[in-house]
Amino acid sequence: KIFPLQHLLSTVAQRMDTRETAAPPPRSPEGRAERLHRIGIYRFIALALLPTVCLLALVYWYVDDNLQEIKTAAESTNQVHLPGILKNQRTLINIESLRRYVETVYNASDAEIRRDALVNALALATESVFEANSRFVEYATSAKSLLYALDAVKKRSDRAQEELARAARLFVQTEARLGVYAGEDRHEAMPAEDDARVSERVLAYCGKLRAAPGTLPQALAQCVTLRESRQAMEKARQRHSDADTEARELWKQFDQLLRKLSDLASSKEAEATHWAMEYISKSARRTHFVFYLSGVLIVLIFCVFILVLHRYILSPLTLASRSLRRIRDGGRVENLPPVRVRELQDMLNILPVVSRHVTDLSARSGLLEQEKDRFRNLSLVDGLTGAGNRRHFDACLARSGRDRPLALLMLDVDMFKLYNDAYGHLAGDSALIAVARTMLEELRGSVDQAFRYGGEEFCALLPGVSAAEALAVGERLRKRIQNLRIPHQSSSVAPHLTASIGVALREAGSPMSNQELTEYADKALYRAKTSGRNQVCFYTPAASSLPGETAL
């Protein structure tokens, strides 16, 4: 019998009461346990966590104070300085737009684009656009005068550019005509990068023409035109360069003017905002330092707490766990060292008593488990043949998965009723034992299983096989049963005992149920029996015929 849990606990409590009321034992190593000042586990944890709680409270107070100061500075910035910045934001946007328009006037090569940018810039460089602020009147006037000056310089630069282009075209045309007079083909004789050298040669040629008698007047006129066009090019290039230099200086002046306007629009509010941000930054750095310093201290306190926790709680719990494992494995637990925490000491005191009772309980329950295993095995084995019974077959079929194929062989001993009538039931039992032993030997060493389905019918489960493999196993079984040569003179099939086998297969992932698989195997067996017996037949609902069937 197994002791009920309530009986076990009551016995342990009684022994503990007896132990408490008994006389104290003589002085031994356990005397040290009596001298220990024990403390409750909740009080122990509270005392261990007290330094951490105090430090967290101090850090919270300091961080909260700094956050209040940061909040005050942020509110001051938001309510006092930011409205001033937002008030001047439109002015700053207009100044930036003015900068873009002036930059367009300075850089654009198209006169129409420059004209539109100049109009927009002049519209911005007025007092009304700057919200009638008296501080911007002087700067707006200077901006308009610089804009007019820049526009005039850019126009001179455009005229110089046009004159340079006309003089260059005339120079190239004259140079080409003189090249023809000189008998030179520039486009074929010299590459493009030698144009300057060809021009020098043409000028030298003009010098020879003036010195030589009988020179063509047309050639001399072209030489004069060439010299004049070259001089005109040099003058136009110089005027263009001077205009660009002057425009660059005007742009620098205008840029400085716009910088002053921007500083004037936002200097006071920006300085106040900068001071507030600096204060917030310093407070944040202090808070950041205190936060990390407190984090380090908390980690140190936590490490000390872990050490104390390990020594006075975790180590006794580990000792109790090891003792419980020993009890579970059948070992005995005797005297355990004392601990300071009261609840843990009570738990350790009860473990030796539990150990003795569990040892007794294990000895009794082991006998019961052996009996239970023996009866369980007997309930799954056919008492006559030693193969699995119908209950075992149903359980194995229900546990079969659908991730791989499963073949079911259903075997029936041919004309077994006539065999019993002719030779007697004892001979029939011997024949069934021989058939079952043959099946077990054929399926030995694999995951296949053999069962007695009922009477003279047997089944075999073949997981992970194909239809051809299942038919081959069935054919081997049929031949081995036939080769037993058990006399059966009443059989119309053969003078010895034979068997008919039906085979059905469920493919991997098929929705076919276990009941359908059994029905298909039974239909295949019926086909084998009606087709002459002593043969193996395969049944599948996908075809009207029985593919792969064999018959002897």
Side-chain angles (χ1 to χ4, degrees), residues 21 32 50 202 254 346:
T21 56
R32 176 173 172 267
L50 183 60
V202 174
F254 205 93
D346 294 341

Side-chain angles (χ1 to χ4, degrees), residues 161-286:
Q161 184 71 22
E162 293 175 358
E163 293 175 1
L164 178 61
R166 287 196 299 270
R169 286 195 299 271
L170 179 60
F171 183 83
V172 171
Q173 293 172 1
T174 306
E175 185 182 23
R177 295 191 189 98
L178 287 175
V180 173
Y181 292 143
E184 297 177 352
D185 188 357
R186 294 181 57 207
H187 298 286
E188 296 181 0
M190 290 194 173
E193 58 268 16
D194 292 337
D195 285 347
R197 194 181 306 170
V198 172
S199 299
E200 295 295 334
R201 293 178 58 187
V202 174
L203 291 175
Y205 174 69
C206 289
K208 294 179 180 179
L209 287 178
R210 288 193 297 271
T215 303
L216 294 176
Q218 295 86 350
L220 293 176
Q222 293 297 330
C223 288
V224 173
T225 304
L226 180 66
R227 185 172 57 254
E228 292 176 353
S229 62
R230 188 171 186 181
Q231 293 175 357
M233 285 175 56
E234 294 297 332
K235 293 179 180 180
R237 187 177 291 111
Q238 184 63 36
R239 287 196 300 273
H240 184 267
S241 177
D242 294 340
D244 285 346
T245 302
E246 187 176 355
R248 190 179 302 110
E249 292 297 327
L250 289 173
W251 165 248
K252 289 181 180 179
Q253 296 178 16
F254 205 93
D255 183 66
Q256 294 177 357
L257 177 64
L258 294 180
R259 290 178 185 276
K260 292 180 180 180
L261 280 172
S262 299
D263 295 340
L264 183 61
S266 60
S267 59
K268 181 178 180 180
E269 289 78 6
E271 288 177 0
T273 305
H274 175 73
W275 176 86
M277 292 299 105
E278 283 291 331
Y279 178 78
I280 292 175
S281 178
K282 291 179 181 179
S283 299
R285 284 196 297 269
R286 289 196 305 268

